[in-house]
């Protein structure tokens, strides 16, 4: 057995020797060459929610005698519980198994970070009359994956406009800000216009009466 000998058991023999008053009998021993430790380290990785897992990278530490990955009888399998539908968070990436004649493989796990996916949110134009209450604002979302829909919206973006109940007839910009969604972040906001229209005003003439031949009394109007 030498430094490059494979793991296994090798005989150790004794020969020769001389002693007064003794007859030398030899008995062989054995040298056990054990497997060397080999660390299999999985690199950390990152991807967005809704995407497939990337190709995970591993590195080896502990090769001897100029050995390389070519000495692996079978490579470790890289596994993680995360898939395309897994939510935002951190997940372990593990190296499992693997066989090499002269090495004992030990996996060192990495971490997969699943980051939020981008959402675009647009606001449809709205209208109300002067003095009226704010209308129902309708949002349109783009970018959902995994069959998601508006149910993932925890809090819709806030409506920002200069128009209030006292604002006169005209058009006013509406912008959006903030908002929160499960597994998404709001990457783009598209505002809209609020049109304040004229309020209806009823002009009613008052009822009057007079006798024939009399002058018509003062006529009145109510609004």
């Amino acid at each position: 057995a030498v430094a490059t000998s494979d793991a296994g058991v090798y005989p150790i023999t004794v020969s020769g020797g001389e002693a007064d008053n003794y007859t030398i009998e030899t008995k062989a021993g054995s040298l056990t060459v054990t497997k060397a430790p080999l660390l299999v380290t999985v690199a950390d990785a990152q991807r967005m929610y809704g995407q497939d897992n990337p190709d995970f990278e591993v590195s080896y530490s502990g090769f001897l005698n100029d050995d390389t990955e070519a000495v692996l009888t079978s490579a470790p399998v890289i596994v993680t519980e995360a898939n395309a539908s897994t939510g935002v968070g951190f997940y372990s990436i593990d190296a499992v198994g693997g066989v090499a004649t002269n090495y004992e493989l030990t996996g060192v796990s990495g971490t997969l970070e699943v980051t939020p996916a981008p959402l675009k949110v647009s606001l449809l134009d709205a209208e109300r009359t002067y003095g009226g209450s704010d209308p129902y604002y309708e949002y349109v979302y783009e970018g959902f994956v995994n069959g998601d829909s508006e149910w993932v919206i925890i809090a819709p973006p806030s409506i920002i406009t200069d128009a209030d109940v006292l604002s006169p007839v005209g058009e006013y910009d509406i912008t959006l800000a903030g908002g929160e969604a499960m597994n998404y972040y709001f990457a783009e906001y598209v505002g809209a216009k609020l049109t304040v229209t004229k309020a209806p005003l009823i002009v009613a003439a008052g009822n009057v009466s007079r006798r024939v031949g009399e002058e018509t009394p003062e006529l009145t109007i109510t609004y």
Side-chain angles (χ1 to χ4, degrees), residues 40-125:
V40 184
T41 302
V42 184
D44 293 340
Q46 185 184 78
R47 66 164 174 83
M48 283 196 308
Y49 169 71
Q51 293 182 339
D52 292 330
N53 289 332
D55 292 330
F56 298 120
E57 297 181 0
V58 298
S59 60
Y60 296 89
S61 176
F63 282 127
L64 303 171
N65 298 325
D66 296 324
D67 288 343
T68 65
E69 294 176 37
V71 302
L72 297 175
T73 305
S74 63
V77 177
I78 309 304
V79 297
T80 181
E81 64 178 332
N83 54 44
S85 61
T86 304
V88 169
F90 295 88
Y91 301 87
S92 179
I93 317 168
D94 306 311
V96 178
V99 177
T101 301
N102 296 317
Y103 296 92
E104 193 69 44
L105 279 65
T106 300
V108 179
S109 299
T111 300
L112 171 65
E113 181 184 6
V114 178
T115 60
L119 268 187
K120 176 182 177 181
V121 55
S122 304
L123 197 64
L124 298 184
D125 291 339

Side-chain angles (χ1 to χ4, degrees), residues 185-218:
Y185 72 97
F186 290 106
E188 183 179 356
Y189 299 99
V190 180
K193 295 286 186 181
L194 171 64
T195 301
V196 178
T197 60
K198 292 184 177 184
L201 188 65
I202 298 173
V203 183
N207 295 323
V208 296
S209 64
R210 64 172 175 81
R211 292 189 177 89
V212 175
E214 292 180 349
E215 292 185 2
T216 299
E218 183 179 355

